[in-house]
Amino acid sequence: MEVGTLQDAQEIKNEDNDFENGSSDPVVYQLVRVEGDGTLVPPTEDEVLQIEQFLDEKVDLPSIEDVGHVEDFFTNDCMFLTKPDFEEGYSELETTGEIHTLQFDADLEEDRLKPLDVSLDLPLNCIVGHDHGQDKLNTERGDSNIVHQDNASTETTKSTVLNDSCSAEKEKADACSRPVNNSSTGPSVSGVTSSVPDFSILRGEVCLDNLTIRELQEAFRATFGRQTNVKDKLWLKRRITMGLTNSCDVQSSGCVVKDYKIVHDDAKHELPAIEGIPKVEVEATSLVWNQVFGPGNERDAPSCSYYQSEDQQRSSKRLKGPSAEKDETEGTLQYEQGTAKRLRKPTKRYIEQLSDIETCDSTGKLSSPGKMPAHDEVLLRQRVAPFEEFDSLSITYPTRRDTFGGFSVHVPYVSRMRRGRPRRNLLSFLDDDASMECTEVQMAVEVMSGKDGEQENHVNKAMEVSPMKNAEKKGGLIETTDDDEVQTVQGNGVCRTDAKPKTQGSLKRKHHRAWTLSEVQKLVDGVARFGVGKWSEIRRLSFSSYSYRTSVDLKDKWRNLIRASQTQLVLEKDGVCPRKSNPSIIPIPPSILLRVKELAELQPPAGNLAAPIKFPGPGSKVAQGRGSGFL
DNA sequence: CTTAGGG
DNA sequence: CCCTAAG
């Protein structure tokens, strides 16, 4: 081990460049422990040894070009690998390029030193961190791309475009305001970046630094849907970041240690092998660190985002820094997180994830379930506590080039989503996402309803219809009409209330509307007039006022009516009074059932059986002639 | 998009 | 109601 000096750092940097160029590249990093106050403390010998071991073990790991610098003010006792130049007294490990676990660029100095730039920091845990669904994926991809470019020696700025994906989120927007790197960039930048919206998020975190406590609290509220009295900026920033990145899990509940351990175990086994990408290594590294130093420090899923940011920076050429890990503040954060998670709206991620997944699937790329599981597991473990976060996890993986897909995690949600109304739903969700936050939920709901079109119709219809129904009811039948109408209204209200459920739910089912007697009557009349199977016509002509009844609904209802008529008839034959048996249930008047039966017999069969009908020529009218009496 | 049919 | 397959 060597102690890095600024000069060393320079050298290292050069080396890094070489590395990028493809030449050999030793990786140099320093191990540092970050104290709660953000100060860096030299690692103990033991720690160093452990790291060394780790490195040795990891020789086969894919090289990671840059790992974030470790600079987290946030972290409490975190060990980081930092560039040598950064600190004079820190021990630094030098590994051969093969290992490349971490590369650091001297350039980072500027960035790294800035505590504020959280985004820059690359948590060792990056892998875990992939919380952002598409964003993350994009980011990662973007990063990777960037990296490649960099390697190619292009320095195109990869500045971050905060705006792209971020627009939806405040934080993101905020992030935009603050450029991560001095040199590199402003918030918006190179075209390259544009392609990768995800970064913006990361940046956003950075931006958070500029926010006042109050603003941070507001952002927090927006992010988690609840208010916070916390005045700790760091905490707030962290939280918000987590919320945005979905990385929260990491912090989650108190048992960070466990998580870490678990995580790192998984990571070790699976991650490294899976991806050759730097990220993987990073994770591995992180894992190692965790093992060595203890879980407490690491935790972040968000790191991924950071990582990305780093990449960007790097790409911009400024960074190269070292990985940094962030720690979350301890208990409080964890505490909050738990809450945050709950509040957090899953939708975005889900959506993103879903979209990502779909993309992947379509691509056919992924699908390596075998691999996937591993990742997922890892993620899960890390995140452990908050299950709700799954999406984030899944997202992360799916996002990955390699096709990580966190199938296991995603699957459930995805399957659900998918099943329902694929595109529409997704879109709607997306919209929701855009809105973000609490409000988002409502928005989402509204959007959903709006999208459905039917729902809107329903509402309107309900309004319109209800009166009619009432009149009908008076007619004598007990119709659920009123109730239905009411339900409809309520349903809408409910939906809004439960943004999430609705959103998801909306996808699944449209509000259930019991068929009123009047509706049944109309249906029967329609069938009599237009014939069985002319559902679209019946719907148009007879159900113009019931927008919520689709042709399919009519068809289904007809089917049920037929069945009912048959059964009912049977029962009657038996001498059982249907009504008595099921008074509460629909009181379908026998008259109607009878009619249904007749129609059913006549029309449909007409075709089939029908030789009889055929003769008559006029099929529709024949109905009356049903008597043709095939029976 | 509309139908049919299975779930 | 939902979902999907067919035309």
Side-chain angles (χ1 to χ4, degrees):
Chain A
M1 292 180 52
E2 296 176 358
V3 174
T5 61
L6 291 177
Q7 289 178 350
D8 289 346
Q10 289 295 328
E11 289 178 358
I12 291 167
K13 181 179 181 178
N14 292 339
E15 289 178 354
D16 289 352
N17 290 341
D18 291 349
F19 176 76
E20 287 179 355
N21 291 340
S23 61
S24 65
D25 30 355
V27 175
V28 176
Y29 55 84
Q30 286 183 334
L31 176 60
V32 177
R33 180 184 294 281
V34 176
E35 296 295 343
D37 58 353
T39 59
L40 298 177
V41 177
T44 62
E45 289 182 0
D46 290 348
E47 290 174 346
V48 172
L49 291 175
Q50 288 179 350
I51 292 169
E52 285 182 350
Q53 281 186 336
F54 171 75
L55 292 175
D56 291 346
E57 291 177 357
K58 295 276 176 175
V59 172
D60 47 344
L61 294 178
S63 63
I64 295 171
E65 294 176 357
D66 294 347
V67 175
H69 291 282
V70 176
E71 308 168 335
D72 246 355
F73 294 79
F74 299 87
T75 59
N76 289 340
D77 295 335
C78 295
M79 294 301 295
F80 298 92
L81 291 178
T82 60
K83 290 179 181 180
D85 58 336
F86 197 116
E87 286 108 8
E88 300 168 356
Y90 296 83
S91 60
E92 99 188 49
L93 294 177
E94 214 174 298
T95 61
T96 58
E98 291 177 353
I99 294 171
H100 297 315
T101 311
L102 300 176
Q103 276 186 338
F104 302 101
D105 291 347
D107 292 351
L108 293 183
E109 302 171 349
E110 303 163 0
D111 295 347
R112 299 181 239 186
L113 294 181
K114 300 172 182 178
L116 295 180
D117 295 0
V118 173
S119 64
L120 294 180
D121 296 358
L122 196 55
L124 294 179
N125 295 343
C126 294
I127 294 170
V128 173
H130 301 295
D131 292 358
H132 300 289
Q134 291 177 345
D135 290 343
K136 283 186 175 181
L137 293 178
N138 292 341
T139 304
E140 288 181 356
R141 289 182 181 179
D143 289 350
S144 62
N145 291 341
I146 291 168
V147 170
H148 291 296
Q149 290 177 350
D150 288 350
N151 289 344
S153 78
T154 57
E155 290 180 352
T156 56
T157 58
K158 295 166 175 185
S159 60
T160 61
V161 174
L162 297 179
N163 298 339
D164 296 348
S165 57
C166 301
S167 60
E169 296 180 356
K170 290 180 180 180
E171 285 87 339
K172 289 179 181 179
D174 291 348
C176 295
S177 66
R178 187 179 185 233
V180 174
N181 292 339
N182 305 344
S183 60
S184 66
T185 74
S188 59
V189 182
S190 61
V192 171
T193 305
S194 64
S195 65
V196 181
D198 298 347
F199 296 18
S200 62
I201 294 170
L202 295 178
R203 301 266 173 177
E205 290 178 356
V206 172
C207 293
L208 292 176
D209 293 334
N210 293 335
L211 298 178
T212 63
I213 291 172
R214 188 168 180 177
E215 289 172 320
L216 287 171
Q217 288 179 340
E218 186 64 16
F220 180 93
R221 187 176 68 79
T223 303
F224 298 104
R226 67 188 180 81
Q227 289 198 324
T228 180
N229 293 326
V230 175
K231 290 181 177 154
D232 181 336
K233 271 192 171 186
L234 292 178
W235 184 88
L236 289 169
K237 287 190 285 189
R238 204 174 189 81
R239 273 274 185 232
I240 292 166
T241 299
M242 289 170 57
L244 293 178
T245 58
N246 285 332
S247 56
C248 310
D249 299 21
V250 174
Q251 290 177 344
S252 64
S253 39
C255 312
V256 174
V257 174
K258 288 181 180 179
D259 294 355
Y260 284 105
K261 287 179 181 180
I262 292 168
V263 171
H264 78 16
D265 288 345
D266 290 350
K268 272 186 168 187
H269 297 296
E270 300 173 355
L271 294 178
I274 294 168
E275 292 183 357
I277 297 171
K279 290 179 180 180
V280 173
E281 287 185 356
V282 172
E283 281 191 358
T285 303
S286 64
L287 293 177
V288 171
W289 287 101
N290 289 340
Q291 290 177 345
V292 173
F293 299 96
N297 296 343
E298 291 184 351
R299 9 175 123 177
D300 312 358
S303 62
C304 292
S305 61
Y306 295 103
Y307 173 76
Q308 292 175 349
S309 64
E310 260 193 12
D311 288 354
Q312 288 179 346
Q313 289 178 347
R314 259 212 294 161
S315 58
S316 56
K317 242 185 171 184
R318 290 241 162 158
L319 296 180
K320 298 209 136 210
S323 62
E325 273 195 350
K326 305 181 175 170
D327 255 302
E328 301 196 75
T329 55
E330 283 28 351
T332 340
L333 292 179
Q334 291 174 350
Y335 218 59
E336 290 284 328
Q337 275 194 342
T339 311
K341 288 180 179 180
R342 290 182 194 166
L343 294 180
R344 200 202 262 156
K345 121 178 148 182
T347 317
K348 290 180 176 182
R349 293 179 183 179
Y350 288 110
I351 295 167
E352 290 178 355
Q353 288 179 350
L354 291 177
S355 64
D356 289 350
I357 291 170
E358 285 186 358
T359 304
C360 293
D361 290 349
S362 65
T363 304
K365 177 177 196 185
L366 306 182
S367 69
S368 38
K371 289 179 180 179
M372 301 301 284
H375 291 289
D376 291 352
E377 288 179 358
V378 171
L379 292 177
L380 291 175
R381 288 181 184 179
Q382 287 179 343
R383 295 185 182 180
V384 179
F387 292 83
E388 294 178 357
E389 295 297 333
F390 291 90
D391 37 347
S392 65
L393 292 175
S394 61
I395 291 170
T396 301
Y397 289 85
T399 309
R400 291 207 154 198
R401 291 179 176 183
D402 288 347
T403 72
F404 271 146
F407 288 93
S408 64
V409 173
H410 290 286
V411 172
Y413 289 100
V414 171
S415 61
R416 262 336 234 164
M417 299 290 284
R418 247 304 291 141
R419 272 183 126 274
R421 308 256 173 241
R423 294 212 168 56
R424 260 183 155 190
N425 291 339
L426 291 176
L427 292 177
S428 63
F429 282 104
L430 291 176
D431 292 350
D432 291 350
D433 289 351
S435 66
M436 297 237 355
E437 325 220 358
C438 298
T439 2
E440 291 179 3
V441 173
Q442 292 178 349
M443 295 294 288
V445 171
E446 290 179 359
V447 171
M448 293 299 292
S449 63
K451 276 195 161 193
D452 279 359
E454 287 187 2
Q455 286 190 348
E456 287 181 353
N457 292 341
H458 291 282
V459 175
N460 295 339
K461 292 291 184 174
M463 299 299 285
E464 295 175 359
V465 174
S466 59
M468 294 178 62
K469 288 186 177 180
N470 290 340
E472 290 179 357
K473 285 184 177 179
K474 288 180 181 178
L477 296 178
I478 298 171
E479 294 191 352
T480 53
T481 308
D482 291 351
D483 291 348
D484 291 351
E485 301 304 353
V486 172
Q487 288 178 356
T488 306
V489 174
Q490 290 177 348
N492 291 343
V494 171
C495 293
R496 291 182 182 181
T497 304
D498 301 345
K500 289 180 180 179
K502 216 190 176 179
T503 316
Q504 293 176 349
S506 68
L507 294 178
K508 287 187 172 184
R509 293 186 167 243
K510 72 178 185 181
H511 179 246
H512 177 271
R513 285 178 157 274
W515 276 73
T516 64
L517 205 153
S518 65
E519 286 177 310
V520 171
Q521 191 74 22
K522 289 190 177 198
L523 175 58
V524 174
D525 289 345
V527 171
R529 280 200 292 171
F530 307 101
V532 176
K534 305 295 182 188
W535 311 119
S536 61
E537 295 215 10
I538 295 170
R539 201 203 104 167
R540 261 203 314 262
L541 300 177
S542 300
F543 285 79
S544 58
S545 56
Y546 305 83
S547 61
Y548 51 89
R549 297 298 182 200
T550 66
S551 59
V552 173
D553 292 329
L554 298 181
K555 183 251 317 176
D556 289 340
K557 181 60 178 174
W558 182 252
R559 190 211 275 154
N560 290 335
L561 286 173
I562 292 171
R563 195 158 43 183
S565 66
Q566 292 175 346
T567 60
Q568 186 168 320
L569 292 176
V570 172
L571 292 175
E572 287 180 355
K573 286 182 179 180
D574 292 349
V576 177
C577 243
R579 291 184 253 167
K580 291 180 180 179
S581 64
N582 271 342
S584 64
I585 294 184
I586 303 168
I588 298 169
S591 61
I592 291 177
L593 289 177
L594 196 67
R595 226 180 131 194
V596 169
K597 186 179 181 180
E598 291 178 353
L599 290 172
E601 289 176 351
L602 295 179
Q603 303 203 354
N608 296 341
L609 295 180
I613 291 177
K614 256 183 172 183
F615 299 107
S620 64
K621 287 185 178 180
V622 173
Q624 291 176 349
R626 54 190 157 174
S628 60
F630 66 112
L631 289 179

